[in-house]
Amino acid sequence: MRVVEPLIRFAQGLTVYTRPDSEVATWVLRLERARFVVTLSPEPSRGFSGEGGWLNALAAGLEAPELVAGRAGHDVVDGTWFPRELPSGAAPANGRLAKARELLAAGAVRKLPDGGYEITRAGSVQRVRLSPAGCTCAWWAKHQENRGPCSHVLAARMSAAES
């Protein structure tokens, strides 16, 4: 937060954006002719991917190559998307979305009579329910949906959308 100190005397206001279930907060310092935006997250690699929230939209069929490649930013003040250049040129592909697509393509997703799903791959079996969402995998046990859904929940949602 030391980066904000020299600007405080010019500030006309401060707004903090977060969600009750999120560990990430964006602070917007309003200046006369600019905004200074700082996003705080518990780890350096977090907070710039929507915490996985956009995975559901992509899994549901949203065509957004800029978003997938990390070349779309979100303005928390205006609620709009904007193009952004990344210093490295491109963001890595999202592993959970790629794995969910692989699970579907491999026929590893099976709908159960109780409305849940069973996902079997390489000797591992995970059980998924969609409402309320849940999975038996380690990712879900650690994060729930605080960092977006696991690949199994994504695969089940994609399978449900296909049927």
Side-chain angles (χ1 to χ4, degrees):
M1 292 305 295
R2 290 197 184 274
V3 72
V4 175
E5 274 184 50
L7 300 174
I8 290 178
R9 65 187 174 131
F10 303 109
Q12 295 179 340
L14 173 70
T15 305
V16 178
Y17 296 86
T18 190
R19 292 188 327 248
D21 62 340
S22 177
E23 297 175 320
V24 176
T26 299
W27 294 46
V28 180
L29 189 65
R30 287 189 322 277
L31 306 170
E32 185 175 339
R33 288 186 268 167
R35 289 185 277 200
F36 187 77
V37 180
V38 177
T39 299
L40 304 173
S41 65
E43 298 170 33
S45 63
R46 290 180 55 193
F48 302 102
S49 65
E51 286 291 281
W54 54 270
L55 286 173
N56 290 319
L58 292 171
L62 173 69
E63 292 295 326
E66 321 72 44
L67 189 58
V68 174
R71 291 189 306 266
H74 187 259
D75 186 319
V76 295
V77 176
D78 297 334
T80 58
W81 293 91
F82 60 90
R84 68 175 180 172
E85 293 300 320
L86 297 175
S88 63
N94 184 280
R96 284 178 278 157
L97 184 59
K99 184 177 177 187
R101 289 178 174 152
E102 287 173 15
L103 291 168
L104 271 177
V109 181
R110 182 172 66 95
K111 186 169 171 91
L112 300 173
D114 67 2
Y117 288 81
E118 184 175 86
I119 300 174
T120 306
R121 183 72 185 248
S124 171
V125 178
Q126 304 300 333
R127 301 252 333 193
V128 172
R129 70 174 184 274
L130 295 181
S131 184
C135 183
T136 58
C137 74
W139 170 273
W140 192 270
K142 183 175 182 180
H143 302 292
Q144 308 274 309
E145 272 197 290
N146 291 332
R147 294 192 57 198
C150 66
S151 59
H152 309 106
V153 169
L154 281 172
R157 287 176 178 162
M158 292 162 73
S159 178
E162 286 179 355
S163 37

